[in-house]
Amino acid sequence: MTQRTVMVLNGPNLNLLGTREPEIYGHDTLDDIAARLVARGAELGIEIDCRQTNHEGMLVDWLHEAREGGVHAVLLNAGAYTHTSIALLDAIKAIQLPVIEVHLSDPEARESFRHLSYVGMAAVDCVKGLGPDSYLVALDRAAAL
Ligand code: CA2
């Protein structure tokens, strides 16, 4: 059976997961979350390509790469760029791949500046507020696409 690939893209400051603000983001590091995704992906026959960057343009480049590389779906936690980036909105629309928006916290239950999501204007789905489990639920939904 050919393995499908799900790309998991993480934006700014998510490299700090597990080191600060555990009351909001939990104690798991991004490597912990990636390991859980890889384990669940193995059960689903899905290869996980998990990346993190602090740079908006890099996220745009990786979305383009997902399209070129025949990726099945993208899980995207764009961090604060979720709420600011028309470039990410345009990229998600351009690649014509299913992108699922993911958040550890529930941005709509937080400050009002987190209520607007440019990513959400083009994403096919959103999983938020479940801590690291948001990524696992999103992966199961991606597998069903
Ligand atoms: O809840 C999420 O996953 C967010 O995407 C996280 C972003 C925030 O700007 C979004 O509104 C919601 C922030 C990520 C910052 O990550 C940190 C991790 C540890 C310590 C400090 C920041």
Side-chain angles (χ1 to χ4, degrees), residues 5 7 12 21 25 27 37 54 64 75 99 111 114:
T5 298
M7 201 180 254
E21 301 188 65
Y25 300 117
H27 291 278
L37 286 168
N54 293 321
H64 295 180
L75 311 188
V99 173
E111 305 96 324
R114 297 184 201 275

Side-chain angles (χ1 to χ4, degrees), residues 56 59-60 63 76-94 99-103 107-108 112-126:
E56 183 178 12
L59 289 171
V60 171
L63 287 166
L76 175 60
N77 184 349
Y81 292 140
T82 302
H83 317 297
T84 62
S85 180
I86 298 168
L88 282 177
L89 168 61
D90 288 345
I92 295 165
K93 283 183 176 171
V99 173
I100 301 180
E101 178 180 8
V102 178
H103 297 289
E108 291 192 11
S112 58
F113 60 79
R114 297 184 201 275
H115 296 181
L116 175 70
S117 171
Y118 286 102
V119 169
M121 292 177 197
V124 297
D125 201 352
C126 177

